[in-house]
Amino acid sequence: MSSKIDRRIKYTRLMLKESLMKLLKEKSISSITVKELCALADINRSTFYSHYSDQYDLLTQVEEEIIQDMNETLMSYNLGQDDEALQMIEKIVEYVAANSDICETLFSEHGDPSFKKRVMMVAHDYTVKNWMDTYPVDDPKISEYVSLFAISGSIHILEIWLKNGMDKTPKEMAEIINNLTNKGLSSLR
C-alpha cells in the first residue's frame, strides 16, 4: 500500500514540476497561478496544497533539488587533482544535459534570478575552499576573484550551450570549461 502512495506522490510532484517548467517558458513565476498549474497538471487545488504552499514554494523545491544534486557532485571530487577536476566538470555538464529543459528554463529570463546567484555561490564556496587548500596564496581575495570569474564564465558558457541545442558533447564542453579555467584564453590556440 505504501509504495502505491509513494508512486502517486512522485507522479503528482513530477506533473506539477513539468507544468511549472512549461509555464515558466512563457511567463515569470509572478504571473503563474496555482489554478493554471493545477489545470495543466490535471490535479485539483487541494492536492496541490497538500504538497506546496504556493507556486513559489514549488519553484523553490525544484531549485533546491538541483542545488542539492550540485552539492553532492561537487563534494565527491577533489579540485586539486587535475583529472578529478575534469571529471567533476564533466559530471556537472552531463547533469545539465540530462536536465537541459529544467536548467534552460531556470536560467532563462522567466526563471528566478536568485537561482543563478545561488548556483554560483555554491560552486564559488566549494572552489574557493578547494583552491585555498590546494594553492594557498598570500591574498585570499585573489582566490575569491578567480573563482567568481571562472564560475560566472562557466555558467554563462553552459547557458549558451543549452540555447545552442547542446551542439557539443558534455565531454567537449567539460574540456572547454576546464581549459579556460586552468589555462585561460591561451588554451584556445
Side-chain angles (χ1 to χ4, degrees):
M1 185 74 164
S2 171
S3 66
K4 278 187 180 181
I5 293 171
D6 290 347
R7 278 189 277 149
R8 282 191 298 214
I9 289 171
K10 286 179 184 178
Y11 178 77
T12 299
R13 289 182 178 171
L14 177 65
M15 296 313 307
L16 286 168
K17 181 178 170 179
E18 288 177 0
S19 297
L20 177 63
M21 292 301 111
K22 192 173 201 174
L23 290 169
L24 278 174
K25 288 180 181 182
E26 302 166 10
K27 53 187 167 180
S28 68
I29 188 71
S30 61
S31 301
I32 296 172
T33 65
V34 170
K35 183 178 178 180
E36 283 178 293
L37 281 166
C38 292
L40 192 56
D42 196 25
I43 63 163
N44 63 46
R45 289 170 59 119
S46 63
T47 300
F48 176 91
Y49 287 116
S50 69
H51 296 280
Y52 306 101
S53 59
D54 57 21
Q55 68 274 32
Y56 297 98
D57 183 31
L58 171 57
L59 178 60
T60 299
Q61 295 299 320
V62 171
E63 292 173 349
E64 282 304 314
E65 184 180 306
I66 291 172
I67 296 288
Q68 183 178 355
D69 289 346
M70 187 179 156
N71 261 323
E72 288 172 12
T73 300
L74 290 172
M75 294 304 200
S76 63
Y77 291 95
N78 179 358
L79 280 179
Q81 306 286 329
D82 287 340
D83 58 331
E84 282 198 34
L86 180 58
Q87 289 171 7
M88 179 202 65
I89 294 168
E90 190 172 347
K91 281 289 181 206
I92 289 174
V93 176
E94 286 171 356
Y95 178 83
V96 169
N99 297 282
S100 60
D101 197 41
I102 293 171
C103 290
E104 186 173 6
T105 302
L106 291 176
F107 285 139
S108 76
E109 63 187 89
H110 296 302
D112 178 6
S114 69
F115 174 69
K116 189 186 299 187
K117 289 178 186 171
R118 287 176 44 223
V119 167
M120 286 178 63
M121 289 317 300
V122 167
H124 169 73
D125 290 347
Y126 176 75
T127 55
V128 165
K129 178 194 169 300
N130 236 294
W131 284 338
M132 291 299 287
D133 292 345
T134 307
Y135 307 106
V137 292
D138 294 336
D139 184 358
K141 280 289 186 195
I142 292 173
S143 289
E144 184 177 341
Y145 294 145
V146 170
S147 172
L148 286 172
F149 179 80
I151 291 162
S152 177
S154 298
I155 288 174
H156 283 87
I157 287 171
L158 291 174
E159 281 181 83
I160 299 301
W161 178 61
L162 288 170
K163 285 180 185 173
N164 288 341
M166 298 183 293
D167 56 350
K168 298 205 177 295
T169 66
K171 184 174 182 67
E172 290 171 322
M173 288 309 298
E175 288 171 352
I176 290 169
I177 291 169
N178 191 54
N179 286 338
L180 286 170
T181 301
N182 292 322
K183 301 173 189 164
L185 294 175
S186 64
S187 69
L188 300 176
R189 292 185 192 159

